[in-house]
Amino acid sequence: MPALAIWSPEDGVLGAVAPLGLAAASGTALVVDLDPHGPNYPGAGTLAALVADGPRRSDLRPVRKGVAVLANGGIEPEDAEAVLDAIVAGWPAVVLRLPASHDGHTGAIPVLPLVPGDLFRQYEPPAVYQRSGWRVEPPRGAIVLPRPRRATIGMLLAGAAPPPRDRWVAAWRRLWEQS
């Protein structure tokens, strides 16, 4: 099943919301936070608990359509490899959220703010750039996301699904199509 790893080295909020948008664009997906110091995503389960207790069959495939989120719980990714392999094998789509400190050399896709100047390092495609209030030309070949509606971000962070035709979520589909 498809799994995409993303990280946002420059923007913590984008790093927390981007995996949710990417997962919502696939229809049914699981977001797995691989950052031991990652956001406090809502939900009862964590990757650390799955590793400690062993996953149940219901943990390894979707119970219903939509996006599910598995917070990290303080475990290093290398300590969860067997569980991660089982999750990826059972879910139709998996988004792996990497920490901002990730080195970017493992095929992970960076998600970056599109801002003027040369403040941030440039990445090769398929980098994803988030439009902001400035009119800035994106790097050639980059996937560029429109500015999200406040309601979209609020819904995603609260664990609700944005409307099916949301422009920001729809823009993420291009990344699934390219993978």
Side-chain angles (χ1 to χ4, degrees), residues 6-8 11-23 30-35 37-47 67-73 95-99 153 155-159:
I6 64 173
W7 60 297
S8 185
D11 188 317
V13 173
L14 189 56
V17 175
L20 303 174
L22 179 59
L30 176 64
V31 175
V32 181
D33 186 6
L34 298 182
D35 182 357
H37 307 289
N40 189 22
Y41 287 117
T46 67
L47 181 59
V67 174
V69 179
L70 191 57
N72 183 280
V95 177
L96 302 171
R97 180 196 174 274
L98 301 175
I153 301 304
M155 284 187 256
L156 287 169
L157 291 175

Side-chain angles (χ1 to χ4, degrees), residues 37-97:
H37 307 289
N40 189 22
Y41 287 117
T46 67
L47 181 59
L50 276 185
V51 170
D53 301 338
R56 299 167 303 191
R57 182 175 296 168
S58 61
D59 296 322
L60 301 178
R61 59 188 158 93
V63 176
R64 61 183 174 277
K65 293 185 182 235
V67 174
V69 179
L70 191 57
N72 183 280
I75 192 168
E76 294 294 332
E78 51 274 358
D79 296 331
E81 285 183 27
V83 169
L84 290 170
D85 289 343
I87 286 170
V88 170
W91 279 79
V94 176
V95 177
L96 302 171
R97 180 196 174 274

Side-chain angles (χ1 to χ4, degrees), residues 9-10 22 24 37 45 54 62 93 99-100 109 115 120 124 136 138 142 158-159 170:
E10 313 296 351
L22 179 59
H37 307 289
I109 300 163
V115 297
F120 304 126
E124 295 295 320
V136 177

